[in-house]
Amino acid sequence: MIARLRRLVTEWTTLVPLLATVLLVLTWGRGLPGAVVVVVTLVLAGAVLAAVHHAEVVAHRVGEPFGSLVLAVAVTVIEVALIVTLMIDGGDKSASLARDTVFAAVMITCNGILGLSLLVGSLRHGTAVFNSEGAGAALATVATLATLSLVLPTFTTSKPGPEFSTVQLTFAAVSSLILYGLFVATQTVRHRDYFLPVPRQGEAATGGKHIEEHAEAPSTRTALISLGLLGLALIGVVGLAKGVSPTIESAVETAGLPHAVVGVIIALLVLLPETIAAVRAARRDQVQISMNLALGSAMASIGLTIPAVALASLWLPGPLVLGLGNTHMVLLALTVVVSALTVAPGRATPLQGGVHLVLLAAYLELAINP
């Protein structure tokens, strides 16, 4: 019976990415009626769950922090493609789409994924334990990238409006790539131990694998198949999200909500795989993996999106609005301060998780009702 259930799960997680890709090809660039939107949404949800499964298979094979990096970078690369595609199709109303989506990703990862992981981990295990050196380095990089790319454009004077001049945008793009590259090198080579799960007192270090996990690592062939299916699942998630985005935009306009809500919804959809994977890691008392996913996704979202939209702005008509408004700058500053106080001790209680979730709720409420 157990073997049959395992085979069913394996077949399901294999078929759904393929189905999502086929459905994406059939629906790409077409207006979707209501019944098809429902089907697309269901397949999209299945692709999210399949992506999490295959990401965990790859992570089990390569170990941490490489597993978290694979999922964060894969999702972000496809997210960048989605943003650029929507900017090409959206005209002037998409001038702030990159800013809205990137800022939404930062708030969702640093408050939503992080807060939920801390809450789940601390409720299940008493306290959530993680490495403050690794989390602090990641948070410092996220704060620097967010300030250089999303705050400074509001105050520069070379160009009217919350925009960068060409030279300033080039500097922000190059700086983002350099900082992200330095962080990846630190995370995976020079100081890899800063980003491994922290063993409890009395437990031996396990090289990134929880001491209670005894399952053998999958073979290289299995991991490569899962890596390919992970890519298909993520392409399906983002591509199908683009397919239903006109329906989302119509619903937002009908409800009289700000257009920035579209960026929030896109970020929520795209970040579902990281959210589920982070919560699962927290339940296993591997909160450092949750930290790697949350802060790594925020960093990749800025560090890869800004250079991409900077390059795309060379041929895209209209302005590229990156600067945040006053309300969002206050939320970003509060998020950075609270996050610094959270990661400094290297352990957290449900209180810290609740504080981050309240910050996310405040952002979502202000996005709907600015």
Side-chain angles (χ1 to χ4, degrees), residues 16-102:
V16 168
L18 299 174
L19 177 61
T21 305
V22 172
L23 188 59
L24 175 60
V25 172
L26 294 176
T27 59
W28 183 261
R30 301 179 182 180
L32 305 181
V36 177
V37 170
V38 172
V39 174
V40 168
T41 303
L42 292 175
V43 175
L44 190 153
V48 168
L49 297 177
V52 173
H53 167 77
H54 292 297
E56 290 184 339
V57 171
V58 174
H60 193 188
R61 175 61 185 174
V62 302
E64 286 298 324
F66 299 99
S68 301
L69 185 65
V70 167
L71 181 57
V73 173
V75 170
T76 305
V77 167
I78 303 174
E79 177 191 353
V80 169
L82 174 61
I83 291 173
V84 174
T85 302
L86 291 176
M87 288 179 66
I88 293 173
D89 297 339
D92 291 339
K93 69 178 182 179
S94 65
S96 62
L97 179 65
R99 177 200 64 187
D100 295 337
T101 306
V102 168

Side-chain angles (χ1 to χ4, degrees), residues 35 53 91 119 142 164 170 216 230 307 319 360:
H53 167 77
L119 186 63
V142 170
F164 272 145
T170 302
E216 292 185 4
L230 171 62
L360 175 66

